[in-house]
């Protein structure tokens, strides 16, 4: 690890800082789009799992079990190479968005399901007695109350998705980890292992830590707001 104290290694990282900036922004873009897809899928399958319809519940259960019990790396490789060999190749970042969105969506579905089921059934019965249909009941009564319940696990899944962008390395991605590896093994940039991976780790920290702090503050705000309402 002597490279940590090598001025030439740090200088090399600084000279090629554009590589790390590009990887950082690619990771941010992939994460944002993947998170949006995961939230959509999580909400859809979470609602299906709590719908009371046996067929919809079975479909949601199959999706969750299959995705959660297979490695995200395998899913990434399958999607990328299956599409390539079928003659419908898609870009690496698009593959990452779909893979990470579908993978994280399975965990989000369980988060939404748990949040919905945590709301007392009396809430649903009261909404039904007032003439609310299923979607109105979920939109106006149930889902707003689940926010403080699902927020901590949902943020954990978002942070995990950001870190899982590293799986794009297996298909030659342009994410932060992939470009860091290309940097440390490049003909002109190779050798600066410790500084390069330290910078990469710090950039991941910059992405993930503020999100966790914001979620914690938001959760405390919601709890205090609820306490003031109940007084």
């Amino acid at each position: 690890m002597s490279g940590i104290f090598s001025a030439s290694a740090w200088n090399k990282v600084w000279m090629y800082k554009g590589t790390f900036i590009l990887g950082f922004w690619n990771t941010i873009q992939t994460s944002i789009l993947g998170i949006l897809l995961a939230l959509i899928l999580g909400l859809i399958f979470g609602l299906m799992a709590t719908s009371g319809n046996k067929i919809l519940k079975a479909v949601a259960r199959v999706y969750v079990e299959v995705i959660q019990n297979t490695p995200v790396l395998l899913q990434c490789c399958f999607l990328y190479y299956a599409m390539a060999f079928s003659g419908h190749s898609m870009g690496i970042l698009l593959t990452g968005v779909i893979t990470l969105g579908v993978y994280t969506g399975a965990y989000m579905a369980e988060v939404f399901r748990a949040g919905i089921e945590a709301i007392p059934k009396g809430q649903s019965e009261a909404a039904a007695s007032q003439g609310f249909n299923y979607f109105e009941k979920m939109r106006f009564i149930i889902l707003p109350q689940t926010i403080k319940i699902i927020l901590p696990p949902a943020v954990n899944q978002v942070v995990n998705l950001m870190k899982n962008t590293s799986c794009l390395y297996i298909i030659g991605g342009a994410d932060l980890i992939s470009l860091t590896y290309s940097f440390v093994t490049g003909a002109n940039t190779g050798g600066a292992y410790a500084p390069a991976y330290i910078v990469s780790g710090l950039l991941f920290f910059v992405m993930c830590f503020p999100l966790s702090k914001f979620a914690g503050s938001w959760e405390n705000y919601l709890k205090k707001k609820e306490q003031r309402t109940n007084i």
Side-chain angles (χ1 to χ4, degrees):
M1 298 294 287
S2 58
I4 294 177
F5 306 103
S6 171
S8 62
W10 282 102
N11 183 59
K12 189 179 295 184
V13 169
W14 175 252
M15 288 176 60
Y16 290 90
K17 59 183 178 294
T19 298
F20 298 91
I21 294 173
L22 176 61
F24 177 81
W25 285 116
N26 284 342
T27 296
I28 288 286
Q29 293 173 34
T30 304
S31 298
I32 291 174
L33 295 175
I35 289 165
L36 291 175
L37 178 57
L39 288 172
I40 292 170
L41 292 175
L43 179 58
I44 291 172
F45 284 97
L47 291 173
M48 289 170 62
T50 57
S51 65
N53 184 296
K54 291 184 178 180
I55 295 176
L56 293 180
K57 291 178 69 174
V59 172
R61 194 74 251 154
V62 170
Y63 165 67
V64 169
E65 293 296 342
V66 170
I67 297 300
Q68 286 191 358
N69 290 290
T70 52
V72 65
L73 277 175
L74 176 62
Q75 296 169 26
C76 185
C77 289
F78 175 80
L79 178 61
Y80 184 75
Y81 291 110
M83 294 299 293
F85 287 124
S86 69
H88 300 87
S89 180
M90 62 174 63
I92 293 173
L93 293 182
L94 179 57
T95 300
V97 169
I98 295 175
T99 300
L100 296 174
V102 171
Y103 180 77
T104 308
Y107 289 90
M108 286 292 190
E110 288 293 271
V111 170
F112 277 105
R113 179 191 61 77
I116 292 170
E117 291 180 345
I119 304 301
K121 291 184 178 180
Q123 298 280 347
S124 296
E125 295 170 354
S129 68
Q130 296 298 314
F132 286 83
N133 62 35
Y134 176 78
F135 294 103
E136 290 174 336
K137 177 178 66 178
M138 285 295 169
R139 179 183 176 185
F140 297 110
I141 306 298
I142 304 301
L143 291 179
Q145 296 184 72
T146 67
I147 293 177
K148 64 180 180 296
I149 300 172
I150 69 174
L151 187 59
V155 170
N156 287 337
Q157 293 306 322
V158 168
V159 172
N160 286 335
L161 183 149
M162 289 181 169
K163 293 185 289 187
N164 281 337
T165 56
S166 59
C167 75
L168 296 184
Y169 159 74
I170 200 71
I171 55 174
D175 61 288
L176 181 56
I177 292 297
S178 299
L179 291 183
T180 300
Y181 178 78
S182 298
F183 173 84
V184 299
T185 57
N188 297 321
T189 58
Y193 289 96
Y197 282 114
I198 287 173
V199 169
S200 182
L202 288 173
L203 289 174
F204 267 107
F205 183 81
V206 167
M207 284 187 281
C208 299
F209 181 72
L211 182 62
S212 299
K213 293 295 291 183
F214 171 75
S217 299
W218 190 16
E219 182 184 7
N220 291 332
Y221 167 76
L222 291 174
K223 288 180 178 179
K224 291 178 181 178
K225 183 178 179 180
E226 184 180 21
Q227 289 173 355
R228 289 196 299 267
T229 303
N230 293 333
I231 294 176

